[in-house]
Amino acid sequence: MIVSYQGGESFKISQGNLNLVMNPKAKTSADVTLFSQASSETSEKSGFVITGPGEYEVKDISIKGFLSEGTGKKINTIYMVGFEGMNLCFLGSLNNATLTDDILEQLENIDILFLPIDTLDPTSAYKLAVSLEPSLIVPMLYTGESLKKFLKEAGENSPSTESKLVIKKKDLEGKEGEIMVLTQE
């Protein structure tokens, strides 16, 4: 699996010829496109588009969407994605770190957590990440200053930084809350 960061809260995740895009900034070609907040930025290249809560099964990808609160009191969808044997949790532009018990029950065994830093605050973001117990944390929606505060909160002086994350399930064995900062393509 290859994870590429496109800035803000936008990621492209690829495995072979299958592409999943989360909150694309531009009209990106994908088989499946997820939007955490309703958007009209789709095109014929967006593939199967998901814009809200529910359960979906598309091209060997299982997706569960959960209603939450986003920035500006807008509706935000948290996605739990089963892809290539890994559980990916995409929090979108979540702005309330207190999740309902129902949502927390569904967000188990997270391999990779895509965590917004600025829509929460660095301290709340870190506490939420720790409570979800992911193997790997990928920060998103951050400024240089907020990322620095988040890393300080996590006690992380020199996190891994990559332009792309190339990962398999076995690479996550033994990892607990490791932080990986992806640089924008």
Side-chain angles (χ1 to χ4, degrees), residues 3-7 11 138-139 142 160-165 180-185:
V3 179
S4 305
Y5 184 46
Q6 299 175 329
F11 290 88
V138 178
Y142 60 82
S160 298
T161 304
E162 299 288 337
S163 59
K164 286 184 181 177
L165 174 61
M180 168 66 69
V181 178
L182 294 178
T183 55
Q184 188 173 340
E185 282 193 325

Side-chain angles (χ1 to χ4, degrees), residues 2-14 19-35 41 45-46 90 114 138-142 162-165 181-185:
I2 301 169
V3 179
S4 305
Y5 184 46
Q6 299 175 329
E9 58 183 319
S10 181
F11 290 88
K12 181 176 182 180
I13 301 171
S14 305
N19 294 306
L20 168 73
V21 180
M22 299 176 188
N23 289 335
K25 286 189 156 217
K27 293 180 179 168
T28 307
S29 180
D31 297 293
V32 180
T33 301
L34 305 178
F35 288 99
E41 294 293 316
K45 294 200 262 177
S46 298
F90 183 73
F114 297 89
V138 178
M140 64 178 182
L141 285 172
Y142 60 82
E162 299 288 337
S163 59
K164 286 184 181 177
L165 174 61
V181 178
L182 294 178
T183 55
Q184 188 173 340
E185 282 193 325

Side-chain angles (χ1 to χ4, degrees), residues 5-117:
Y5 184 46
Q6 299 175 329
E9 58 183 319
S10 181
F11 290 88
K12 181 176 182 180
I13 301 171
S14 305
Q15 179 65 40
N17 293 328
L18 190 56
N19 294 306
L20 168 73
V21 180
M22 299 176 188
N23 289 335
K25 286 189 156 217
K27 293 180 179 168
T28 307
S29 180
D31 297 293
V32 180
T33 301
L34 305 178
F35 288 99
S36 59
Q37 293 187 350
S39 176
S40 58
E41 294 293 316
T42 61
S43 72
E44 63 278 350
K45 294 200 262 177
S46 298
F48 190 85
V49 177
I50 300 173
T51 60
E55 290 191 36
Y56 310 88
E57 192 76 39
V58 185
K59 298 187 180 228
D60 296 325
I61 302 172
S62 63
I63 302 162
K64 289 183 182 178
F66 308 97
L67 186 65
S68 65
E69 185 179 309
T71 55
K73 302 284 185 194
K74 291 181 183 175
I75 292 173
N76 180 65
T77 304
I78 295 171
Y79 290 105
M80 190 71 173
V81 179
F83 188 30
E84 287 300 309
M86 286 189 261
N87 293 319
L88 314 176
C89 182
F90 183 73
L91 296 177
S93 58
L94 182 72
N95 79 343
N96 185 346
T98 305
L99 300 176
T100 66
D101 289 341
D102 184 48
I103 291 175
L104 288 171
E105 284 177 22
Q106 302 289 325
L107 303 182
E108 292 184 335
N109 302 316
I110 298 170
D111 292 306
I112 303 173
L113 175 66
F114 297 89
L115 180 71
I117 306 301

